[in-house]
Amino acid sequence: MAMIKKKKYLEMLDDLLATEDEVTEHFYKYTTDSLKYYKWLSEDKREQISEITTKLRNDCQRHKNMVEKLIKHVEESKENVF
């Protein structure tokens, strides 16, 4: 198994965290805003899409929390290679 230096690992995790935030917020906001204009969708379908996007946003938030915990663990670790 290949090992990675602490600094590089933290950089990768920080990039992952930034991407997660950006994608989640843009996707959720775009979809939520767009549903207002999709008059051709039935109310049931709009509600279903809203529920799915909310679940995705919540799942992404849990993933973000896990990545933040991993970053903290790596930062506090005395190890220099992972």
Side-chain angles (χ1 to χ4, degrees):
M1 175 170 34
M3 303 298 275
I4 186 168
K5 296 251 183 201
K6 184 177 191 172
K7 182 179 176 186
K8 180 66 174 170
Y9 192 30
L10 286 171
E11 289 172 3
M12 291 170 61
L13 290 171
D14 285 336
D15 287 346
L16 176 64
L17 198 58
T19 301
E20 183 93 38
D21 272 343
E22 186 176 337
V23 169
T24 301
E25 285 310 308
H26 286 291
F27 173 76
Y28 181 77
K29 182 170 177 15
Y30 173 80
T31 304
T32 302
D33 289 348
S34 296
L35 283 175
K36 298 172 193 170
Y37 303 104
Y38 293 167
K39 304 295 183 200
W40 48 270
L41 277 176
S42 68
E43 187 61 36
D44 289 347
K45 291 291 183 191
R46 277 188 280 201
E47 182 63 30
Q48 187 178 24
I49 292 169
S50 179
E51 288 173 5
I52 290 168
T53 55
T54 298
K55 181 179 181 341
L56 284 171
R57 184 187 66 179
N58 293 342
D59 288 348
C60 288
Q61 182 61 47
R62 282 194 296 278
H63 183 254
K64 177 185 169 190
N65 292 343
M66 288 189 302
V67 173
E68 288 172 337
K69 286 178 184 177
L70 182 56
I71 289 171
K72 183 177 179 187
H73 170 75
V74 172
E75 286 174 338
E76 293 174 349
S77 175
K78 292 182 170 75
E79 300 294 322
N80 193 37
V81 180
F82 292 84

